[in-house]
Amino acid sequence: MDLEEAFQVVGEFGPYQKRAVAVLVLTQVYMACQSMLIVLVGSTPEYRIDQQDGGAPSSQQELIQRVTFTEDIDSIVTEWFLIKHQAYKVSLAGSLFFAGLLIGNVVFGPLSDRIGRRPVYLTGLFFEVIFGYLTAVAPSYEVFAVSRLLVGLMNGGIGLVCFVLTQEYVGKSYWAMTGTLTSMSFAIGIALFGALGYFVRPWRNLATVANSSGVLFFLMSVSLPESPRWLYSQGQTERAEEVMRYVALRNGNAVNNLTLQRVGSAKGGSRANRAGVLQLVIHPVLRLRTMVLMYVWYACSLVYYGLTLGASETSGSRYLNVAMYGLVELPAYPLCMYFINKDWAGRRKSMASFLCLAGSACLCTMFIPENSGTVLSVTSFALVGKLMVSAAFNIAYVYTSELYPTVVRNAGLGVCSMSCRVGGILAPFVPSMRAVHTSMPFTVFCLSGLSAGCLGLLLPETLNGPSAETLEELSSHSRVLQSKALLYEDNKKKSNQK
């Protein structure tokens, strides 16, 4: 039998798979805390600078002597006096984290396609916890900034592999659900981090407590098996059978005669070795898909993190704002589950529609005065924009994993996440564009959302379609970009023969 038939026998989403997926999904809470850490530990309290006859402070040392913080907040800003010409260091620390995510996606994605999902995931999670504690005890800003880069490096790598594992442990019919649960858990993690920041005020204590949950999730993850889909795609059929029998046994379905269809040496050996990031450029179908998906992911990240990281700068309690920007995502995921499984909507139209709605919500903020009411306010439309882009981001994860074959799935997700992290690197600086004009940040978010939504319509639909395991199994009858790419390849071969 093939792999999908095997999942039907052992159980597509049995008790053991539910427990394994639960561990991976809950790990997103820890990863969300690390992603949002700079929002609270980098809070800038109100302050005043004592005026003297000499005028403005001429040096950092003089500024430290004359500044007085009037708000009772303990953060890296108050400890290292990151104000005035040093204020950019707070945004820089946030950008370094996202730069680490970018590098982690580039390195860990192809690496997990080559050596396996499990060792990469466990190694990355272990070192993220170590570097997370380094953040909490950093003696200087420079050490703090480097630790955020290293945490981001590990976070980006394991986040990608963690998501892929939640898909590859279960049958294809449950991919949308497990992908949605992963994104939902991340949103809950943001809300919980806002609550945690309210009760744990000193920034070093907050960093320690937020990082300690990673120890628990690492211990829970040690017993997870390797992905049977990855083993099968690599030609390691016997090991894949062992994992499937183990899953069946833990599900209560004792299957002794489970035998997978043997893959040829070409399929499992040399061809698998050639599959990787290079195939995303060489293969005409994958090349066009990747170009579109890279921009979609970039726009999703820029709008998502731009709105979230700007939460502490909006009026009201910064802790409540952070929690609200997390909780507002939760309604997005039932919407995703409903729309992406409907024949009249599917993955493609749903993702494009949510992106366009996110851009439209950001557009509406430009026409709302600052002192407007609670219902029709800039914050309200920003929250609606966050809701819509969260839905689009979640669909992008699920949709992208279905557009790539198993042998290059992590590589494809890694490249898309790489462009996503470029948006994340820029996101901490977008709110500061208010200095140019108050509506400038939302103008950037609006244009990004609308353009990505329109571009996403060029992708093929994957709802109810077969899941490709290898490059050769890419369906030749998909429409839009795929059919055009295959037609171009056929014409090119004919011209070369002439």
Side-chain angles (χ1 to χ4, degrees), residues 264-497:
S265 59
K267 180 177 178 181
S270 60
R271 293 184 185 181
N273 292 333
R274 294 201 303 268
V277 177
L278 187 60
Q279 288 293 340
L280 304 182
V281 179
I282 296 175
H283 199 286
V285 174
L286 295 179
R287 179 171 62 244
L288 292 171
R289 287 184 184 182
T290 303
M291 290 171 61
V292 174
L293 287 169
M294 284 178 70
Y295 183 75
V296 169
W297 279 61
Y298 160 80
C300 285
S301 178
L302 181 68
V303 179
Y304 180 93
Y305 287 109
L307 292 173
T308 305
L309 295 176
S312 62
E313 298 184 12
T314 55
S315 59
S317 169
R318 55 174 53 87
Y319 308 104
L320 179 61
N321 288 338
V322 171
M324 283 297 298
Y325 272 80
L327 292 175
V328 76
E329 293 185 40
L330 298 183
Y333 302 116
L335 288 175
C336 290
M337 293 291 290
Y338 177 78
F339 284 110
I340 65 178
N341 290 313
K342 296 295 182 181
D343 292 333
W344 50 268
R347 276 67 158 151
R348 182 174 66 100
K349 292 179 182 178
S350 298
M351 184 183 73
S353 299
F354 281 122
L355 278 169
C356 290
L357 288 172
S360 301
C362 293
L363 176 65
C364 292
T365 61
M366 305 177 199
F367 304 101
I368 304 297
E370 291 290 336
N371 56 352
S372 59
T374 304
V375 178
L376 293 177
S377 64
V378 173
T379 302
S380 298
F381 279 106
L383 288 171
V384 172
K386 177 68 187 300
L387 169 67
M388 296 302 168
V389 78
S390 299
F393 215 163
N394 176 63
I395 296 172
Y397 265 97
V398 176
Y399 191 26
T400 302
S401 66
E402 294 177 346
L403 285 170
Y404 287 108
T406 301
V407 290
V408 292
R409 183 168 295 129
N410 253 17
L413 280 167
V415 170
C416 291
S417 288
M418 179 185 68
S419 62
C420 162
R421 303 316 170 190
V422 173
I425 292 170
L426 298 177
F429 292 99
V430 174
S432 64
M433 295 175 69
R434 288 191 182 96
V436 179
H437 193 277
T438 54
S439 64
M440 185 60 71
F442 289 106
T443 302
V444 174
F445 299 148
C446 168
L447 294 176
S448 299
L450 292 175
S451 59
C454 294
L455 198 60
L457 291 172
L458 296 174
L459 294 167
E461 182 56 68
T462 59
L463 179 63
N464 299 325
S467 174
E469 302 293 337
T470 65
L471 296 176
E472 289 77 7
E473 292 178 16
L474 278 177
S475 176
S476 60
H477 57 268
S478 295
R479 59 178 182 173
V480 195
L481 284 180
Q482 183 163 316
S483 58
K484 292 179 180 179
L486 290 171
L487 180 62
Y488 171 78
E489 187 181 41
D490 290 338
N491 292 335
K492 187 176 180 181
K493 288 181 179 178
K494 291 178 182 178
S495 63
N496 290 337
Q497 290 175 355

Side-chain angles (χ1 to χ4, degrees), residues 241-252:
E241 290 173 349
E242 291 177 5
V243 174
M244 294 299 285
R245 292 192 189 103
Y246 176 76
V247 172
L249 181 63
R250 300 296 297 272
N251 283 342

Side-chain angles (χ1 to χ4, degrees), residues 49 103 213 338 428 472:
I49 299 176
I103 300 170
S213 62
Y338 177 78
E472 289 77 7

Side-chain angles (χ1 to χ4, degrees), residues 36-316:
M36 296 296 109
L37 189 69
I38 194 64
V39 176
L40 295 184
V41 304
S43 297
T44 302
E46 296 180 1
Y47 63 90
R48 70 170 185 269
I49 299 176
D50 299 330
Q51 298 296 326
Q52 297 180 356
D53 296 337
S58 58
S59 64
Q60 178 69 8
Q61 192 62 35
E62 186 179 350
L63 176 65
I64 292 174
Q65 295 174 353
R66 291 168 57 179
V67 69
T68 302
F69 292 102
T70 58
E71 193 175 357
D72 186 19
I73 289 179
D74 179 70
S75 68
I76 62 172
V77 175
T78 60
E79 181 166 338
W80 295 314
F81 295 91
L82 304 180
I83 57 175
K84 293 297 183 181
H85 62 281
Q86 296 287 320
Y88 76 94
K89 290 184 176 181
V90 178
S91 297
L92 178 61
S95 291
L96 284 173
F97 176 85
F98 286 101
L101 292 182
L102 188 154
I103 300 170
N105 293 152
V106 174
V107 174
F108 282 71
L111 188 62
S112 66
D113 280 334
R114 182 176 296 274
I115 68 173
R117 317 305 198 206
R118 184 176 180 274
V120 172
Y121 169 70
L122 292 177
T123 302
L125 181 56
F126 174 80
F127 282 106
E128 181 172 359
V129 172
I130 298 299
F131 296 138
Y133 283 123
L134 178 60
T135 294
V137 299
S140 64
Y141 170 79
E142 289 72 21
V143 176
F144 175 86
V146 171
S147 71
R148 297 314 297 160
L149 174 67
L150 294 173
V151 169
L153 176 67
M154 299 301 152
N155 192 291
I158 68 170
L160 189 65
V161 180
C162 181
F163 175 82
V164 171
L165 279 174
T166 62
Q167 306 276 56
E168 296 186 349
Y169 278 156
V170 302
K172 189 177 184 297
S173 60
Y174 287 91
W175 282 12
M177 187 191 71
T178 57
T180 299
L181 287 174
T182 302
S183 299
M184 186 181 294
S185 181
F186 192 90
I188 293 173
I190 295 176
L192 290 177
F193 178 67
L196 184 65
Y198 178 79
F199 292 105
V200 184
R201 296 298 178 91
W203 77 266
R204 292 185 184 275
N205 293 349
L206 177 60
T208 301
V209 174
N211 188 63
S212 296
S213 62
V215 178
L216 173 63
F217 293 126
F218 174 78
L219 295 176
M220 294 171 65
S221 300
V222 170
S223 61
L224 294 177
E226 182 56 89
S227 163
R229 292 184 183 275
W230 178 82
L231 291 171
Y232 186 72
S233 70
Q234 298 297 306
Q236 301 182 38
T237 314
E238 292 182 359
R239 288 188 60 195
E241 290 173 349
E242 291 177 5
V243 174
M244 294 299 285
R245 292 192 189 103
Y246 176 76
V247 172
L249 181 63
R250 300 296 297 272
N251 283 342
N253 301 326
V255 180
N256 297 322
N257 59 345
L258 188 148
T259 304
L260 294 175
Q261 179 181 351
R262 285 320 193 245
V263 294
S265 59
K267 180 177 178 181
S270 60
R271 293 184 185 181
N273 292 333
R274 294 201 303 268
V277 177
L278 187 60
Q279 288 293 340
L280 304 182
V281 179
I282 296 175
H283 199 286
V285 174
L286 295 179
R287 179 171 62 244
L288 292 171
R289 287 184 184 182
T290 303
M291 290 171 61
V292 174
L293 287 169
M294 284 178 70
Y295 183 75
V296 169
W297 279 61
Y298 160 80
C300 285
S301 178
L302 181 68
V303 179
Y304 180 93
Y305 287 109
L307 292 173
T308 305
L309 295 176
S312 62
E313 298 184 12
T314 55
S315 59

